[in-house]
Amino acid sequence: MQHGKYRFIVGFLVVPLAMYTIFVIWPFIQSIYYSFTDWTGLSPDFKMVGFGNYSRLLDDDTFWKSLQHSVLLALLLPVVVLGLALFFSFMLNVGGRRRKGAAIAGVQGSGFYKIVYFFPQVLSIAIVALLFQFAYNPNSGLINSALDGVGLGSVQPEWLGDPDLALWCVMAVLVWSQVGFFVVLFSAGMASIPKDFYEAALLDGASRVTTFFRITLPLLWDTVQSGWVYMGILALGAESFAVVQIITVGPGGPDGSTSVLTLLVYQKAFRDGQAGYATTIGVALLIVTLIFSAVVMRLGRRERLEF
C-alpha cells in the first residue's frame, strides 16, 4: 500500500520537477558556466577565461555604483511600500469611526478606495513608467504644471534630469505601482482577524495605534515578511529595470545616477556584446538577492501566532 502511494506521488511530481529543472535550474547552471567565458552572445565561438570576469567585476566602478543603487532600492522600497499599505489597509478596515451596531469599522467608502488603490495593478509597469515620464517632463509635465498652478512656478525641478532626484523619481514610480496590491492583500488578512480582539482592546482603553502594533501587525507578520522579501526581489529585478530603461536619460543617467544591476546586465549583453561579463553580473545579482532574502527571513523570524 505504501509503495503504491509513493508511486502515485512521484507520478505527479516527476513532470513538474522536470520542467522546473529544464526551465529554471538549467539556465542558472548555464549562466554560471558562461560567466567563466568571453562569450559575446552572438558567436558560438568562445573560450574559458577562468575568474577573469570576476576580477574585472571587482574593479568595475560602474558595477559598484549600480550595486549601490540596487541595494538602496531593496532596502527602502519595502519600507515605504509596506508601510503605506499597512496604514491604508488599517484605515480601510479598522480605522473608521464607530458606527451604530459596529464598534470596529473602516472609513466611509472603503470599498471604493480599495478599487482606487488597486487600479495601478491593472496597468503594466511599462504603461505606468510612460505615464510618469510625461508627468516628470520639466517643461510641460503634470507635476511642474501643478506647482506653477499653485504659485510655485519658481520651483521647477528637472526631476529625471537631476542626478540628485532621478533615483528618487524611479522609486516613486515603483511605490505608486505596488502599494495597491499590498493594500488589498493586507485588507484580506485584516478582515480575517476576529473583531472581538479589537473590541476587547478598545474596552480596555487601548488606542487605535496600540491595537495596530499589538493585534494587527503581529497577526499579519507572516504576510508582511513575505511581502518584504517579494518587494526586495522586485526592487533588485525586472520591475526596477523596466522603469529605469523606459523613463531615465541614457538610460541609467544622468551620469549613471539611476543605473541598477539589471540594467547593467542588459547593456553589457545586448549593447556591448559582452554576454560572458553580463552573466557574471547576473551571478552577482543572484548572490545579492539570496543574501537579502536570507537576512530578511532570519531577522523577521518570530513565533507564529494563531487565532
Side-chain angles (χ1 to χ4, degrees), residues 65-288:
K65 194 171 186 178
S66 301
L67 176 62
Q68 179 184 352
H69 297 156
S70 292
V71 171
L72 181 64
L73 288 176
L75 293 178
L76 294 183
L77 193 62
V79 174
V80 177
V81 170
L82 298 182
L84 289 174
L86 283 169
F87 172 75
F88 292 143
S89 302
F90 188 76
M91 295 302 295
L92 293 177
N93 291 273
V94 185
R97 295 181 179 179
R98 296 187 181 186
R99 301 173 195 168
K100 188 176 181 180
I104 299 298
V107 297
Q108 291 282 359
S110 58
F112 171 75
Y113 291 136
K114 289 178 183 178
I115 296 174
V116 172
Y117 289 138
F118 191 75
F119 176 73
Q121 291 295 310
V122 180
L123 305 174
S124 73
I125 190 63
I127 294 175
V128 172
L130 286 173
L131 290 174
F132 272 87
Q133 185 181 44
F134 292 127
Y136 283 138
N137 188 302
N139 299 318
S140 58
L142 176 63
I143 300 177
N144 280 357
S145 297
L147 291 175
D148 187 52
V150 296
L152 296 176
S154 58
V155 182
Q156 297 287 313
E158 291 291 329
W159 301 115
L160 296 172
D162 188 340
D164 296 326
L165 293 177
L167 188 63
W168 302 107
C169 293
V170 171
M171 185 180 295
V173 178
L174 293 170
V175 169
W176 188 85
S177 66
Q178 296 299 320
V179 165
F181 171 78
F182 288 99
V183 168
V184 175
L185 181 65
F186 293 151
S187 293
M190 291 181 191
S192 65
I193 299 175
K195 299 296 184 184
D196 297 343
F197 292 2
Y198 293 107
E199 293 175 358
L202 292 176
L203 287 175
D204 288 340
S207 65
R208 295 301 172 98
V209 175
T210 302
T211 59
F212 173 78
F213 286 103
R214 296 293 184 179
I215 298 175
T216 305
L217 188 57
L219 293 177
L220 284 181
W221 185 251
D222 287 344
T223 305
V224 173
Q225 187 182 41
S226 300
W228 201 289
V229 174
Y230 172 79
M231 282 305 306
I233 294 174
L234 181 146
L236 292 169
E239 296 286 317
S240 61
F241 163 75
V243 175
V244 172
Q245 173 71 14
I246 292 172
I247 73 173
T248 61
V249 180
D255 194 27
S257 60
T258 57
S259 179
V260 291
L261 287 180
T262 44
L263 177 69
L264 191 60
V265 171
Y266 174 82
Q267 290 176 334
K268 293 299 180 182
F270 298 103
R271 185 192 66 184
D272 301 337
Q274 301 174 12
Y277 184 56
T279 56
T280 306
I281 301 172
V283 172
L285 178 59
L286 172 64
I287 294 173
V288 171

